[in-house]
Amino acid sequence: MERTTDRDLTWRIGGLPFTREVFTVRVGDPLNHAFTPMIEHDVSQLPVVDHNSVLRGVITWEGIARAQLSGGTATISQAMNPHPETAREREELFERMDRIQKSGFTIIVDGENSLIGILTSTDLAGQLKGTYRAVHAS
């Protein structure tokens, strides 16, 4: 009997076509530096990084609204969530799906917490839908 090679059939975060070219802002930037890339690229969140591209948080429209309501000149650091949903490429997708669905995204980082990319729940739904169609088209 021929033995087949064991294959890892686990769906991993890194096996999905997540966005690797991510627009970012820096912690000390004025809040209005987030507006243009979010509007122009139709995104709901931007990772906040330091000068070494290490993830420090995420800014969302909700965070911007809260910072604006507090009055004064708001900064990225005042509007950001310092504990965004993150994942590594080797992590199993299905173990993370509930958290991705709840937050709407996960930021992909490496072992040094440097930004690699972002996976949104919309991207994930599109990927699963495409896989479903491919399987059922045969």
Side-chain angles (χ1 to χ4, degrees):
M1 180 180 263
E2 186 177 322
R3 184 172 182 248
T4 58
T5 306
D6 291 339
R7 293 187 310 166
D8 182 3
L9 299 176
T10 305
W11 284 41
R12 302 211 181 266
I13 297 286
L16 298 171
F18 59 85
T19 303
R20 291 182 183 269
E21 293 183 26
V22 180
F23 297 95
T24 62
V25 288
R26 300 243 175 122
V27 175
D29 287 348
L31 189 56
N32 64 4
H33 282 200
F35 300 162
T36 301
M38 289 178 79
I39 292 168
E40 284 182 356
H41 302 287
D42 192 26
V43 295
S44 302
Q45 64 282 322
L46 290 176
V48 180
V49 297
D50 65 15
H51 63 281
N52 292 317
S53 294
V54 173
L55 184 67
R56 297 296 178 207
V58 68
I59 189 163
T60 63
W61 287 117
E62 183 181 340
I64 289 170
R66 273 196 308 270
Q68 293 276 326
L69 289 173
S70 69
T73 305
T75 64
I76 296 292
S77 62
Q78 292 170 315
M80 75 176 195
N81 170 358
H83 306 290
E85 180 64 34
T86 62
R88 298 220 171 107
E89 290 182 282
R90 293 286 307 148
E91 290 186 46
E92 292 185 26
L93 171 63
F94 292 107
E95 290 181 6
R96 308 293 297 210
M97 284 186 66
D98 287 342
R99 295 194 325 233
I100 293 170
Q101 182 182 8
K102 183 178 178 183
S103 68
F105 64 92
T106 189
I107 299 173
I108 316 301
V109 294
D110 66 13
E112 307 296 314
N113 212 36
S114 292
L115 178 68
I116 295 174
I118 191 165
L119 176 67
T120 67
S121 54
T122 302
D123 297 335
L124 181 56
Q127 177 68 25
L128 293 174
K129 186 176 180 180
T131 301
Y132 175 84
R133 285 184 175 160
V135 167
H136 292 288
S138 325

